Amino acid sequence: MIVKKDNYEYVLKDTNNKEYQFNIEFYNVEKLPEVGDFLFMSEKLLQEKNAVLSLDCLESEYGRKIESADDDDIVVLMIKEEKIYLKRVYG
């Protein structure tokens, strides 16, 4: 869950109350997430310390080609009841 937001700086808290800090930029998302919204991501992404994440729609030409639903670059943004599937883009 997003527990704090300051421009691009997001603080996330997992189900064990552990906090993670990321600099996240969202591309091609109609509404940006706010405190209380959720980001579901792989353990691999969570373990990147002070990471900068750029997230775009799954159809984006940027980033790796997603070939599996288990891909570590997939992130699900949940705003209220709406799920938005994104992928990590690089560059």
Side-chain angles (χ1 to χ4, degrees):
M1 179 169 55
I2 298 169
V3 294
K4 187 175 179 185
K5 176 185 172 187
D6 184 20
N7 292 317
Y8 296 103
E9 295 294 321
Y10 289 83
V11 177
L12 310 176
K13 187 182 285 189
D14 67 14
T15 54
N16 296 319
N17 288 323
K18 184 173 179 184
E19 290 190 353
Y20 306 86
Q21 185 170 341
F22 293 96
N23 181 301
I24 306 174
E25 184 156 4
F26 293 89
Y27 296 96
N28 299 307
V29 175
E30 288 183 25
K31 185 178 182 214
L32 293 176
E34 298 295 334
V35 171
D37 293 332
F38 293 88
L39 276 174
F40 299 96
M41 63 181 71
S42 71
E43 187 69 29
K44 181 180 174 186
L45 283 180
L46 280 177
Q47 297 310 316
E48 292 190 23
K49 300 293 181 197
N50 298 316
V52 175
L53 298 176
S54 298
L55 303 174
D56 201 349
C57 61
L58 287 177
E59 297 81 24
S60 174
E61 65 183 273
Y62 303 103
R64 294 184 312 109
K65 183 178 179 183
I66 302 296
E67 296 180 352
S68 166
D70 296 327
D71 194 303
D72 286 330
D73 280 346
I74 294 177
V75 175
V76 179
L77 169 60
M78 192 163 142
I79 299 176
K80 297 196 185 330
E81 298 298 318
E82 180 184 6
K83 290 182 183 176
I84 303 165
Y85 292 86
L86 305 166
K87 72 176 179 179
R88 185 177 188 183
V89 295
Y90 302 87

